[in-house]
């Protein structure tokens, strides 16, 4: 995990994109909008690219200028403008060090549903602290211990969304390799699998296992996550790479939705998956007991 220089947040970029599209739909120029807000065109341009986040009062003034009467859209964009300025739990973390993960945490906090396909590790929202520590250390073995602990704390904090009164729905498809790959010592892996078995009973969480014998499938290239967002946010798919996360928005999310549906059909049922995870947990627990003798 490498430190990345902080650019405009995804929130600011989404808001700017919406304002630009509404301006163009109203057949108005950047100068028209700038004159209405009594700002220079440079500021208006930065607002539409997310470099200068629009204030709620500016957003409402622009929506009036563009003739936007849809109350859902108006309230949604006003809320988005306030979200850009509002502090969240992630504001205690260094923005430059955490990079786009702060955007990721914000998306998770707003999502109504999170669907993921995982081929290497358990998804971050379902990891134990010990498992997460080993995953993060493996990703950047040269990182100072203090930095690693910082990233682990951040990951654990993200999991709070599952304990909210109204948590997002979460569906995770785990490749069989995720369950068989020993991350850390066998006791760490055993504890992780027991946690998966326990959390699979959570009413908002659905875990399915994609067995090896399912063969080739639409996402043979790797994992991805889909976020179903409330209006006015677009639906978003995220693909993690060594160079950082790549976010894809509607309508390009459709290919991920189709792939996910195929994976879900090929995976074991919820009941079969829970049984599979329990069997794997017991097997690795026995390995842990033998190694401790």
């Amino acid at each position: 995990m490498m430190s990345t220089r902080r650019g405009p947040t995804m929130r600011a970029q989404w808001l700017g994109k919406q304002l630009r599209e509404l301006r163009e739909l109203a057949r108005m120029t950047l100068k028209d909008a700038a004159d209405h807000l009594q700002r220079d065109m440079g500021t208006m341009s930065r607002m539409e690219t997310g470099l200068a986040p629009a204030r709620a009062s500016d957003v409402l003034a622009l929506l009036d200028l563009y003739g936007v009467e849809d109350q859902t859209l108006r309230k949604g964009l006003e809320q988005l403008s306030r979200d850009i300025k509002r502090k969240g739990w992630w504001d205690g973390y260094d923005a430059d060090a955490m990079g786009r993960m702060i955007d990721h945490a914000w998306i998770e906090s707003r999502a109504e549903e999170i669907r993921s396909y995982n081929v290497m590790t358990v998804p971050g929202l379902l990891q134990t602290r010990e498992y997460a520590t080993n995953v993060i250390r493996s990703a950047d073995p040269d990182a100072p211990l203090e930095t690693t602990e910082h990233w682990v704390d951040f990951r654990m904090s993200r999991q709070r969304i599952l304990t909210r009164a109204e948590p997002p729905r979460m569906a995770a498809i785990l490749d069989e390799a995720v369950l068989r790959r020993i991350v850390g010592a066998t006791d760490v892996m055993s504890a992780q699998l027991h946690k998966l078995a326990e959390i699979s009973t959570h009413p908002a969480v659905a875990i399915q296992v994609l067995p090896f014998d399912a063969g080739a499938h639409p996402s043979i290239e790797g994992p991805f996550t889909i976020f179903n967002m409330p209006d006015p946010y677009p639906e978003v798919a995220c693909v993690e790479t060594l160079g950082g996360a790549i976010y894809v928005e509607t309508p390009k999310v459709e290919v991920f939705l189709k792939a996910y549906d195929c994976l879900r059909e090929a995976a074991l049922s919820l009941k079969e998956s829970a049984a599979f995870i329990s069997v794997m947990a017991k097997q690795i627990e026995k390995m842990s007991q033998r190694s401790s003798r």
Side-chain angles (χ1 to χ4, degrees):
M1 297 184 180
M2 301 173 61
S3 297
T4 57
R5 187 170 182 80
R6 188 71 171 155
T9 67
M10 183 169 286
R11 288 158 278 172
Q13 288 177 319
W14 277 349
L15 179 59
K17 179 182 177 182
Q18 291 267 8
L19 292 176
R20 185 185 72 250
E21 290 176 350
L22 290 171
R23 173 178 61 77
E24 292 173 348
L25 189 63
R27 298 182 181 279
M28 292 189 176
T29 66
L30 199 62
K31 186 177 185 305
D32 292 330
D35 288 346
H36 186 72
L37 293 183
Q38 297 183 333
R39 306 286 175 83
D40 59 76
M41 288 179 61
T43 298
M44 195 66 219
S45 177
R46 291 193 297 276
M47 195 179 295
E48 290 190 354
T49 57
L51 293 172
R55 295 177 299 186
S57 57
D58 291 336
V59 170
L60 293 176
L62 289 172
L63 294 180
D64 288 339
L65 175 66
Y66 302 153
V68 177
E69 298 179 353
D70 185 315
Q71 289 303 309
T72 299
L73 180 57
R74 289 178 66 91
K75 290 178 181 179
L77 291 179
E78 181 185 5
Q79 180 62 53
L80 180 52
S81 67
R82 297 187 189 282
D83 275 355
I84 295 171
K85 298 292 185 181
R86 181 176 290 120
K87 288 185 176 295
W89 62 262
W90 47 79
D91 287 296
Y93 293 84
D94 186 287
D96 288 328
M98 301 312 298
R100 298 289 279 182
M101 282 308 299
I102 288 181
D103 274 334
H104 194 94
W106 176 80
I107 293 173
E108 287 176 339
S109 75
R110 281 293 180 192
E112 295 178 338
E113 183 177 19
I114 302 171
R115 286 167 283 182
S116 67
Y117 169 54
N118 312 271
V119 299
M120 294 295 290
T121 60
V122 171
L125 292 177
L126 304 180
Q127 292 178 2
T128 65
R129 185 178 188 87
E130 292 74 17
Y131 182 97
T133 299
N134 279 276
V135 169
I136 290 172
R137 281 178 182 164
S138 297
D140 193 347
D142 297 325
L145 180 60
E146 182 179 355
T147 300
T148 298
E149 286 300 312
H150 196 57
W151 284 329
V152 172
D153 287 341
F154 185 81
R155 184 165 300 183
M156 294 299 102
S157 295
R158 285 167 48 205
Q159 295 181 3
R160 296 174 189 168
I161 63 171
L162 296 178
T163 61
R164 294 189 317 212
E166 296 184 9
R169 300 183 302 279
M170 182 173 182
I173 297 176
L174 310 180
D175 192 277
E176 185 176 336
V178 173
L179 308 179
R180 294 190 179 278
R181 178 172 291 103
I182 306 296
V183 174
T186 50
D187 61 331
V188 172
M189 193 64 198
S190 175
Q192 177 62 75
L193 293 182
H194 280 298
K195 176 174 181 175
L196 283 179
E198 178 183 352
I199 205 168
S200 66
T201 64
H202 191 295
V205 178
I207 300 176
Q208 289 180 264
V209 175
L210 184 69
F212 287 148
D213 61 17
H217 52 74
S219 190
I220 203 73
E221 293 87 357
F224 60 88
T225 303
I226 303 169
F227 299 94
N228 183 22
M229 307 290 286
D231 289 336
Y233 313 116
E235 203 161 30
V236 181
C238 174
V239 179
E240 298 282 354
T241 75
L242 287 175
I246 298 173
Y247 292 92
V248 179
E249 300 175 16
T250 305
K252 295 182 180 179
V253 175
E254 188 63 30
V255 65
F256 293 93
L257 293 172
K258 289 181 179 178
Y260 191 86
D261 286 342
C262 291
L263 289 166
R264 185 175 54 190
E265 291 178 6
L268 300 178
S269 68
L270 295 176
K271 185 176 181 179
E272 291 170 334
S273 297
F276 191 100
I277 292 171
S278 294
V279 168
M280 288 299 305
K282 291 176 182 177
Q283 288 180 0
I284 294 178
E285 185 174 16
K286 288 180 181 179
M287 291 171 58
S288 177
Q289 291 171 348
R290 287 197 297 269
S291 64
S292 62
R293 291 175 184 172

